[in-house]
Amino acid sequence: MNAVSAVQGTLVRWGRSVRTSVFAWWHVLLLGAQILVLSLTPSSYRRGAHRLAVLHNLYLATAPLLTWFMVLSALISIVLIRIVVATAYSYGLTQYAIEVLVRTLVLELIPLYAAMFVALRFAMPGAQRVRKQLAEQQRQGIEREHRELLRIELLPRALGSMFSVPMLAALSCVVALVLTYLTLYGFSPWGFPAYTRSVGQVFTPAVSLIFCLKTFFFSLAVGVVPLAGSAQRDIEGRYSRRSDISEFARLFSVLLLIEVVSLLGNYY
């Protein structure tokens, strides 16, 4: 009987865990759909306090992060460019150096670490502040409607993240392409036609479309997944503090899934 009871207890705990995970991901999908619909409806944030909140979050999600992100992006780009160029020269494959750099650095790495940078510096701390605020209001007996919470707290922060990720990724891509040209050709203008032709051969219409879609879904994931966790009650109906590691793991799993899908679209 003890063995049977142990098996039953394990199955019950496993079933509860699966049910909790399913409900959590359903909450993420539902909130993402609501934010996407509201973001495509300008009347929901065009006027008054809603507009000021959106503009404030657009600034906070981009301007304070811009300097450090560009410095970090430039350092990472220089290191990777030097490694790829030195390896290509040593094997006599210099004609493939530009394509390798564009495909690895611009298409794959920059959107991913732009999304992670915005998530760690803006989206996740903002989600924790929202959850702390909701917990304090709940202790005071204040219950906010979901519609009010969505428009005032969640939508502006989500739009800030969705704006910051493609903005930082685009600027970082420009910096990486400029550093690649300077590393290969220096300040000579004579390599510009060959360089632009090599880059253009990588950015075919299909690759460009996949790149834009991947960056968009990265920004949507960063804007929605942390906020979905902050607005979700626990089993007891409270807004207890969540582990930052578990929240980051959930977001990273979504980003990784998007990256895998984009790789399948680009190379298979």
Side-chain angles (χ1 to χ4, degrees), residues 8 11 13 36 41 53-54 61 80 83 88 100 106 125 166-167 169 174 185 187 192 197 199 211 219 252 264:
Q8 290 178 347
L11 291 176
R13 289 192 297 270
L36 190 59
T41 309
V54 171
L80 292 177
I83 292 174
V100 171
V106 177
M167 176 63 70
V174 172
Y185 301 101
F187 291 95
F192 191 72
R197 184 170 59 252
V199 173
F211 175 74
S219 64
F252 184 75
L264 292 175

Side-chain angles (χ1 to χ4, degrees), residues 14-263:
W14 180 80
R16 290 176 179 175
S17 177
V18 171
R19 185 181 63 179
T20 302
S21 299
V22 170
F23 284 162
W25 285 112
W26 172 250
H27 183 72
V28 171
L29 293 176
L30 182 61
L31 184 64
Q34 292 173 340
I35 289 176
L36 190 59
V37 170
L38 289 177
S39 64
L40 296 176
T41 309
S43 60
S44 61
Y45 53 84
R46 183 184 293 172
R47 302 174 183 175
H50 298 294
R51 180 180 180 181
L52 294 177
V54 171
L55 294 176
H56 181 66
N57 281 275
L58 291 180
Y59 173 81
L60 291 180
T62 306
L65 310 183
L66 188 58
T67 301
W68 285 110
F69 179 78
M70 296 307 296
V71 171
L72 178 63
S73 177
L75 291 175
I76 295 175
S77 298
I78 290 174
V79 171
L80 292 177
I81 290 168
R82 292 303 303 171
I83 292 174
V84 172
V85 171
T87 304
Y89 275 126
S90 64
Y91 287 98
L93 300 174
T94 55
Q95 68 272 21
Y96 300 110
I98 297 176
E99 182 177 352
V100 171
L101 284 171
V102 172
R103 287 188 178 276
T104 57
L105 185 59
V106 177
L107 291 181
E108 307 302 340
L109 293 180
I110 287 179
L112 182 59
Y113 69 70
M116 294 179 64
F117 191 85
V118 175
L120 292 175
R121 295 296 302 274
F122 175 77
M124 294 183 65
Q128 289 289 355
R129 285 193 293 269
V130 170
R131 191 166 184 84
K132 182 178 179 181
Q133 180 182 357
L134 291 175
E136 292 177 354
Q137 292 177 351
Q138 190 179 49
R139 285 194 294 269
Q140 297 172 3
I142 302 174
E143 293 292 338
R144 302 181 63 177
E145 295 183 358
H146 178 73
R147 183 176 180 180
E148 177 189 2
L149 176 64
L150 183 63
R151 288 180 176 271
I152 296 178
E153 299 291 344
L154 303 184
L155 179 63
R157 286 179 167 83
L159 290 177
S161 299
M162 292 171 65
F163 174 80
S164 179
V165 171
M167 176 63 70
L168 296 182
L171 293 176
S172 183
C173 288
V174 172
V175 171
L177 291 174
V178 171
L179 291 176
T180 301
Y181 180 85
L182 294 177
T183 302
L184 293 173
Y185 301 101
F187 291 95
S188 173
W190 305 113
F192 191 72
Y195 180 73
T196 54
R197 184 170 59 252
S198 299
V199 173
Q201 290 175 352
V202 176
F203 280 97
T204 62
V207 171
S208 301
L209 178 62
I210 293 174
F211 175 74
C212 293
L213 289 176
K214 178 176 69 173
T215 306
F216 168 74
F217 283 112
F218 275 172
S219 64
L220 185 62
V222 172
V224 170
V225 175
L227 291 175
S230 69
Q232 185 180 14
R233 301 173 185 263
D234 56 16
I235 300 177
E236 299 177 354
R238 300 177 180 178
Y239 295 100
S240 58
R241 180 175 176 81
R242 290 173 175 264
S243 172
D244 293 336
I245 297 178
S246 62
E247 292 299 311
F248 179 75
R250 177 187 296 181
L251 175 60
F252 184 75
S253 64
V254 176
L255 296 178
L256 186 61
L257 178 62
I258 298 171
E259 179 67 26
V260 170
V261 173
S262 70
L263 289 175

